[in-house]
Amino acid sequence: IVVMLHSHRLVILRRISLLLGILYYYRALTMFVTVLPKPDETYTCMPRRNTTTTVDYAKRVLTILSGGGLSISGKHVYCGDYIFSGHTMTLTMGYLVIKQYSPRRFILLHWASFLVSLCGVVFLLLSRGHYTIDVLLAYYVTSRIWWLYHTLAHNQQLKSRGEHNFLDNMCWWHVFRFFEIQIQGPLPRRYSLPLPKAIKRFFRVSFTRLRRENSVSQEIFQGSQYEI
């Protein structure tokens, strides 16, 4: 809701999509090089197969997506994707988005989102859905990538290559520059309804006409009172 009500909602959605892509790329690397045993012995895992085809991989992806990636739905029956925690990554991203792009005076909303994210991580550990190292690493990577990206986005000098900018050696810097080269500094905290301009113009004109008619009616009423 915070993103959709922001005046620069498309820029924010683009940033979130790129950051999630970067984070899932790093997560795929860590899962590939480090396979941890399941933290809960009662967790059901599909048997290992040595003759996996492309169709099997597609079926596995669809099975996980159909359950929303949650083991409680009975659809997440594949093990090994623990380090780092995708749930913690998503919860951290949600809090950072609300903190960054909501009005500064909405302190209660900031604390509520922080507590919800924290409780989600705690319950994830209590249910033995992840190891502690998965959660800590997910928070560290997500928060650092978020802060690094926005530091780059808010500084024009860091959007150009040169000896002054060693951050251009990152594998995703060129993609970042392509999306952010036209953005000047931090996004202003302005908000509007996600409606087409024609509809906004219609409501604006109707509201202005209604106010004008009300003011005229009030003047007529006051004039009639004076005459009486």
Side-chain angles (χ1 to χ4, degrees):
I1 296 177
V2 171
V3 174
M4 295 309 298
L5 291 178
H6 201 285
S7 299
H8 300 278
R9 60 187 65 88
L10 295 181
V11 176
I12 300 175
L13 289 174
R14 186 178 63 199
R15 289 180 175 179
I16 294 174
S17 300
L18 179 56
L19 286 170
L20 285 176
I22 295 171
L23 289 169
Y24 272 107
Y25 169 74
Y26 287 145
R27 184 169 183 260
L29 291 179
T30 56
M31 286 192 302
F32 179 76
V33 300
T34 304
V35 179
L36 299 177
K38 57 182 181 180
D40 188 358
E41 294 297 330
T42 62
Y43 188 83
T44 303
C45 297
M46 292 292 289
R48 299 179 61 180
R49 297 176 56 183
N50 296 324
T51 58
T52 307
T53 63
T54 304
V55 177
D56 294 328
Y57 285 121
K59 290 181 178 179
R60 292 182 179 184
V61 171
L62 293 176
T63 300
I64 296 175
L65 290 177
S66 64
L70 300 175
S71 59
I72 192 174
S73 63
K75 299 292 186 179
H76 193 182
V77 291
Y78 303 106
C79 302
D81 58 338
Y82 293 116
I83 189 166
F84 50 91
S85 171
H87 296 86
T88 304
M89 179 185 74
T90 306
L91 291 170
T92 305
M93 276 282 291
Y95 165 70
L96 292 173
V97 169
I98 294 175
K99 181 78 163 51
Q100 178 69 31
Y101 296 113
S102 63
R104 294 184 183 276
R105 64 179 182 275
F106 284 19
I107 300 177
L108 183 61
L109 176 62
H110 300 164
W111 276 103
S113 61
F114 171 76
L115 292 176
V116 168
S117 301
L118 180 61
C119 289
V121 173
V122 172
F123 291 149
L124 181 65
L125 292 174
L126 292 177
S127 63
R128 296 187 178 181
H130 274 284
Y131 293 98
T132 306
I133 185 62
D134 306 340
V135 171
L136 294 177
L137 187 58
Y139 167 76
Y140 182 86
V141 174
T142 304
S143 58
R144 269 58 186 179
I145 292 293
W146 177 273
W147 294 331
L148 178 60
Y149 187 97
H150 285 77
T151 299
L152 290 169
H154 295 172
N155 293 273
Q156 290 299 117
Q157 292 183 345
L158 299 179
K159 298 178 183 179
S160 60
R161 305 191 65 177
E163 295 183 356
H164 68 285
N165 184 15
F166 286 95
L167 297 178
D168 62 358
N169 294 302
M170 295 184 297
C171 60
W172 50 268
W173 182 85
H174 295 280
V175 181
F176 153 81
R177 185 177 182 274
F178 175 79
F179 286 128
E180 299 288 343
I181 190 64
Q182 300 296 331
I183 308 298
Q184 303 292 330
L187 295 179
R189 296 175 186 260
R190 299 174 183 172
Y191 306 92
S192 62
L193 294 175
L195 298 174
K197 292 183 178 179
I199 298 179
K200 290 181 180 179
R201 191 180 303 110
F202 171 78
F203 281 111
R204 189 181 302 112
V205 172
S206 300
F207 181 73
T208 303
R209 185 186 301 114
L210 182 62
R211 289 186 59 184
R212 188 182 301 112
E213 293 176 354
N214 289 337
S215 61
V216 172
S217 300
Q218 188 174 7
E219 291 177 359
I220 295 173
F221 178 74
Q222 291 178 352
S224 62
Q225 284 184 334
Y226 290 144
E227 292 177 359
I228 294 174

